[in-house]
Amino acid sequence: MKINKSYIFLKGIRFYAYHGVAPQENLIGNEYIIDLKLGVDISKAMQTDEVTDTVNYAEVYNVIKTEMDISSKLLEHIGKRIVKKLFKQFATIEDIDLFLSKRNPPMGADIESAGIELHCSRK
């Protein structure tokens, strides 16, 4: 069997955090949702059944949580920090697709969420 591309994903990660441009956002906070897709060669882990031969989901979550705990004005800034930290901490990650959204942003609109989408490669 030939694997053309393989991914690890974490979908619908929810955080309550204190990000935003408006002062009240830093006081009352909001709910944020992250979907993450990591381009990783998982072929060795498929053979060995060992977590050390892949990227550990729990460790990825901890990186994201650490960055979400740091207050920022912009989702763009948070997204950059998450991607940089994941590339730094996990040498086997080849590329990252990150979707970060803020639920019910305070912008005077009837809107479910607003956010960013990043598609990044290590090179």
Side-chain angles (χ1 to χ4, degrees):
M1 169 175 66
K2 180 183 181 216
I3 300 171
N4 296 320
K5 187 76 178 158
S6 53
Y7 300 94
I8 291 174
F9 70 90
L10 286 78
K11 187 171 176 83
I13 309 168
R14 297 184 185 272
F15 293 97
Y16 200 87
Y18 301 87
H19 307 295
V21 175
Q24 76 269 18
E25 293 182 277
N26 295 299
L27 293 174
I28 61 172
N30 204 338
E31 184 179 23
Y32 297 82
I33 300 172
I34 293 178
D35 291 332
L36 185 70
K37 185 167 109 174
L38 307 172
V40 178
D41 180 358
I42 63 170
S43 58
K44 186 172 181 184
M46 291 172 66
Q47 299 300 317
T48 65
D49 197 27
E50 295 295 332
V51 72
T52 54
D53 293 327
T54 190
V55 173
N56 185 312
Y57 312 155
E59 291 176 9
V60 169
Y61 170 81
N62 287 333
V63 167
I64 297 168
K65 181 179 181 333
T66 298
E67 294 305 319
M68 288 299 292
D69 285 344
I70 301 168
S71 182
S72 292
K73 293 177 192 168
L74 301 177
L75 297 180
E76 292 86 344
H77 189 256
I78 302 162
K80 176 203 73 159
R81 288 196 332 259
I82 291 171
V83 168
K84 280 184 70 175
K85 187 71 74 79
L86 289 172
F87 278 141
K88 182 178 180 185
Q89 193 157 332
F90 302 97
T92 57
I93 295 176
E94 299 163 3
D95 49 68
I96 298 173
D97 293 340
L98 174 74
F99 305 85
L100 170 56
S101 60
K102 177 189 292 193
R103 294 189 37 108
N104 303 308
M107 53 190 269
D110 184 8
I111 183 172
E112 183 177 314
S113 64
I116 62 165
E117 180 175 333
L118 298 173
H119 302 277
C120 306
S121 60
R122 185 174 288 281
K123 297 177 184 180

